[in-house]
Amino acid sequence: MLMTMTTYSCPRCRVQAPADALTWCCPQCRGPWDLEFASAPVSLKSLASRVNSLWRYEEALPLATEIPHVTLGEGRTPLVPLTDAVSAKLDFLMPTLSFKDRGAVMLAELARRLAQGGGLRRVVADSSGNAGTAIAAYCARAGLDCVVYVPDGTSPKKLEQIRAHGARLTVVPGDREATARAAREAADEPGTFYASHVHNPHFLHGTKTYVYELWEELGGVLPDTVVVPVGNGTLLLGAALAIEELYGHGLVDTRPALVAVQAEAVSPLAAAFHAGAEELTEPAPVRPTLAEGIAIPNPPRARQILRAVRETGGTFLTVTEDQIHAAQLDLARRGLFVESTGVACWAAVRATAPRPGLTVVPLCGAGAKTGLSPSSTYRA
């Protein structure tokens, strides 16, 4: 059985469910869960002798109560300077070549423990590519049966990677939202664990290790500004969790500003933020964009994302297709081949006035997954 004291809770309805249940959403509003979990302080001095994966931050992780854990050695990605004031964290050097490994390892570990208790027959995930490849890889590592739902038009290289890990693919006609609906229907079947990087909060507790690594790499301090791409907001919300934990435990003196980046073509959160809204009133129209991984018209955690950015004194930025293409070429000429979604933050930083102090951007996915973006296909 799952050995954990954590509990799911709905931030809207205050409904609760045990974290060892297969209930993937709030039964009242069908919204995503939060996790009732209290982290403990991480000792910076002790980290030098710990395991070389994100499990090194065991005091901060809700599933670090048993060993061994599912792992592929994820985390500990390099932090390299791009300019005197901007550094990039190379999360495209993860085992499956994207930052989604941070959350996928947590979901696979949870599913492994659920399977040990009986009643779990398969894992289901939906993705535009990177989350699906990560879930497929970590389910393979854990010996779990996995089905990944992807939208029609997903990169062939990502489909090949998912199949190579042994997962079964279900290609859904239509867009990303249609794919999510199909996966949710499958997730309601008995014995199914929905490894949703959006709805399951364990994923966010995996992505928060991004900021714990920055804190460790920088010797116990955080950057002045943390820039993150936002579609469903899984990296941003994980970053916000880590910042609050580190600050709350007295491990940092100040909170960095969170700056969220969206593609101009699909930017519902940026529009809501600059309009002063607390949540989305309607989905954004779906338009083609090079940053397909963050082209989410109606993110389920919109309210949480907007609040997290405001509470840190951050803002939202948007980038055009030409800016994305130029940023990808610029990084490639610096020796870093990153997929087009993964360069959105660098595109935004290049186009805006520098903020005081150190800024860190993530390079989230490898260019080998999609190839070089076209220079004009997506122009209006």
Side-chain angles (χ1 to χ4, degrees):
M1 293 294 291
L2 177 66
M3 300 297 293
T4 179
M5 299 299 292
T6 54
T7 301
Y8 293 137
S9 65
C10 175
R12 288 182 178 271
C13 307
R14 303 304 176 188
V15 172
Q16 292 190 330
D20 58 357
L22 294 177
T23 307
W24 62 268
C25 67
C26 172
Q28 291 189 15
C29 70
R30 303 285 284 182
W33 291 120
D34 282 347
L35 196 66
E36 299 292 330
F37 169 72
S39 69
V42 176
S43 168
L44 185 64
K45 291 182 179 179
S46 72
L47 291 175
S49 62
R50 294 193 183 187
V51 63
N52 195 33
S53 76
L54 60 76
W55 293 109
R56 67 198 283 108
Y57 308 111
E58 58 183 359
E59 297 93 336
L61 297 176
L63 295 175
T65 56
E66 296 177 359
I67 53 174
H69 302 101
V70 176
T71 185
L72 289 168
E74 59 290 324
R76 305 283 283 152
T77 55
L79 182 67
V80 300
L82 295 178
T83 71
D84 290 342
V86 181
S87 290
K89 189 155 175 59
L90 310 190
D91 260 26
F92 69 89
L93 297 180
M94 287 284 196
T96 75
L97 307 182
S98 91
F99 87 94
K100 296 290 177 64
D101 289 11
R102 294 187 183 276
V105 66
M106 299 293 290
L107 295 184
E109 176 65 13
L110 177 58
R112 181 186 71 83
R113 298 189 194 187
L114 293 173
Q116 287 178 340
L120 187 151
R121 298 198 309 269
R122 64 171 183 166
V123 175
V124 166
D126 62 282
S127 168
S128 59
N130 284 339
T133 59
I135 295 295
Y138 282 93
C139 281
R141 187 69 168 176
L144 299 168
D145 184 59
C146 181
V147 182
V148 180
Y149 287 73
V150 297
D152 188 24
T154 299
S155 164
K157 294 181 181 180
K158 293 180 181 179
L159 298 182
E160 182 180 5
Q161 188 178 4
I162 292 170
R163 289 192 184 99
H165 291 310
R168 286 172 286 138
L169 268 172
T170 298
V171 180
V172 180
D175 60 14
R176 183 66 182 83
E177 289 298 301
T179 304
R181 287 193 297 270
R184 290 168 195 162
E185 290 178 7
D188 287 329
E189 297 177 8
T192 301
F193 173 68
Y194 184 25
S196 171
H197 57 292
V198 180
H199 283 78
N200 194 303
H202 286 89
F203 195 93
L204 306 181
H205 284 269
T207 60
K208 77 182 180 185
T209 59
Y210 175 85
V211 166
Y212 273 91
E213 288 180 19
L214 291 177
W215 171 74
E216 181 183 359
E217 179 75 14
L218 296 172
V221 298
L222 289 176
D224 299 278
T225 305
V226 176
V227 186
V228 289
V230 173
N232 278 307
T234 56
L235 183 54
L236 182 138
L237 291 173
L241 275 172
I243 290 167
E244 289 307 308
E245 289 175 1
L246 290 165
Y247 185 79
H249 291 311
L251 297 174
V252 294
D253 296 328
T254 59
R255 299 179 180 91
L258 283 172
V259 174
V261 177
Q262 294 203 289
E264 187 178 90
V266 185
S267 52
L269 291 165
F273 180 88
H274 292 297
E278 294 184 356
E279 57 187 330
L280 299 185
T281 56
E282 60 183 21
V286 179
R287 299 188 180 95
T289 175
L290 294 170
E292 60 183 6
I294 54 173
I296 308 298
N298 191 25
R301 294 187 184 269
R303 187 181 185 90
Q304 293 173 281
I305 296 166
L306 293 166
R307 183 174 66 246
V309 173
R310 288 195 174 102
E311 287 179 349
T312 65
T315 190
F316 270 82
L317 302 174
T318 61
V319 289
T320 67
E321 302 306 301
D322 283 345
Q323 287 171 333
I324 294 170
H325 176 72
Q328 188 183 35
L329 286 177
D330 178 75
L331 286 171
R333 288 163 184 163
R334 296 168 184 259
L336 302 167
F337 188 29
V338 184
E339 68 175 346
S340 50
T341 296
V343 306
C345 291
W346 178 233
V349 169
R350 292 178 76 219
T352 57
R355 297 173 69 94
L358 175 63
T359 293
V360 172
V361 300
L363 304 183
C364 296
K369 284 174 169 275
T370 56
L372 189 65
S373 63
S375 60
S376 60
T377 302
Y378 292 89
R379 291 181 185 172

